[in-house]
Amino acid sequence: MAPALILLVEDDFILRSALSELLRDEGYAVESAANGVEALRRVLQPPRPSLVLLDIMMPHMDGLTFRATQLALPAVADIPAIVISAVDPIRRVTGLRFASALTKPIDTARLLDSIKSTLDPKPSGSSTSGPTPGS
């Protein structure tokens, strides 16, 4: 099975390079974009990313505008996104359905946990052992 493809959208070249290397070392395929305009072009082309890691403050098109645009496009609206930002993003992301929000400097263990839980969510509900109610 091919590794999950992560689209990393980050305008800081050094951070983008370091995160790309970290994610590749973890077994993910990684493509990157330096702003929301590049990310939008990329997300609309095959192969389709499994996840978007998205900075907020970027030139040309910020991460919030990218995400709002992505959600408005039915072909790519279901691709999950994790926001990474130098400012506390929680107050600013209402309605944009981010899977997770992390602040910089990035805690790599927390980032990897967020990616894993987003790409491979645990089934909701109770355990599958035993009879179901009413049976």
Side-chain angles (χ1 to χ4, degrees), residues 76-93:
V76 295
D78 63 334
I79 299 172
I82 295 173
V83 65
I84 51 176
S85 179
V87 296
D88 182 2
I90 302 301
R91 291 172 280 143
R92 300 176 62 194
V93 299

Side-chain angles (χ1 to χ4, degrees), residues 1 4 8 18 24 35 46 56 63 66 70 97 113 122 127 130:
M1 182 155 103
L8 172 60
R24 285 186 182 102
N35 59 61
I56 290 180
F66 164 82
Q70 177 204 351
R97 301 188 334 238
D113 285 346
K122 303 286 185 243
S127 69

Side-chain angles (χ1 to χ4, degrees), residues 103-116:
T103 53
K104 296 175 185 174
I106 296 172
D107 176 336
T108 56
R110 187 166 174 229
L111 173 64
L112 294 173
D113 285 346
S114 293
I115 291 169
K116 287 176 188 167

Side-chain angles (χ1 to χ4, degrees), residues 11-30:
D11 62 324
D12 181 292
F13 175 78
I14 294 170
L15 180 57
R16 188 171 65 238
S17 297
L19 286 175
S20 292
E21 185 176 335
L22 169 74
L23 296 171
R24 285 186 182 102
D25 288 349
E26 291 293 318
Y28 298 107
V30 180

Side-chain angles (χ1 to χ4, degrees), residues 46-57:
R48 183 181 145 110
S50 302
L51 172 69
V52 176
L53 286 182
L54 184 63
D55 186 17
I56 290 180
M57 298 187 309

